[in-house]
Amino acid sequence: MKKITIVFGLLFAIFLFSCEQDTQSEIKVISPEEMQTLLELDDVQIVDVRTPEEYRNGFIDNSQNIDFKSPTFDEDITRLDKTKPVVLYCKSGGRSAKCSKKLKDAGFVKIYDLNGGITQWKFKGLELKTFE
């Protein structure tokens, strides 16, 4: 009986440690208000993953355009610093969610995804920039 208790105790301990979450990389979906706070940080990287045409129609200040649909997307994200926070957005959140997973798989440490994309940003009446 003692041996069975020890065996179950060891199995439980192994199970417990094997279920630890990977905390090296994190994806957090954020609101436009939370994003505004993040934009005040010096080391944050803001990435618009929409097409260049969509980007030209209006973008969030200090963002860079890396088109998720581009055949060079995987190469383009290597320009980003994996150790600094990355804030992603697209039109409504679909592409940025997919991009978040790619960045996590590529080893990025802190990834933020704008909930509802630039559509939600505009709905909240927040400022957009254009090239005009």
Side-chain angles (χ1 to χ4, degrees):
M1 185 67 173
K2 231 180 191 183
K3 288 181 182 179
I4 292 175
T5 305
I6 292 171
V7 169
F8 279 120
L10 287 172
L11 287 175
F12 179 75
I14 290 169
F15 174 77
L16 185 65
F17 288 112
S18 69
C19 290
E20 284 186 28
Q21 289 186 349
D22 179 17
T23 57
Q24 290 181 347
S25 186
E26 177 185 345
I27 299 171
K28 182 175 183 199
V29 178
I30 57 171
S31 69
E33 295 80 11
E34 290 171 311
M35 182 167 171
Q36 278 191 301
T37 303
L38 286 171
L39 297 181
E40 295 171 9
L41 302 174
D42 289 332
D43 63 345
V44 70
Q45 304 168 98
I46 309 156
V47 181
D48 183 324
V49 298
R50 299 175 300 154
T51 64
E53 294 78 25
E54 290 173 297
Y55 186 77
R56 280 192 288 277
N57 290 327
F59 54 90
I60 296 171
D61 197 23
N62 296 318
S63 64
Q64 57 183 303
N65 184 220
I66 301 178
D67 182 2
F68 181 71
K69 294 180 179 179
S70 168
T72 61
F73 176 79
D74 291 332
E75 180 184 327
D76 295 339
I77 62 171
T78 63
R79 297 188 318 232
L80 301 171
D81 186 338
K82 292 181 181 185
T83 64
K84 293 183 179 179
V86 179
V87 178
L88 301 167
Y89 71 91
C90 61
K91 182 178 179 184
S92 60
R95 283 174 280 181
S96 60
K98 292 174 187 172
C99 182
S100 294
K101 290 181 179 86
K102 279 195 169 210
L103 291 182
K104 182 177 180 176
D105 292 343
F108 285 78
V109 177
K110 202 73 159 165
I111 306 157
Y112 297 95
D113 182 8
L114 178 60
N115 188 31
I118 202 164
T119 302
Q120 188 64 22
W121 183 267
K122 286 193 277 190
F123 178 76
K124 296 285 185 175
L126 300 170
E127 183 181 6
L128 289 179
K129 299 286 183 179
T130 59
F131 291 115
E132 297 172 11

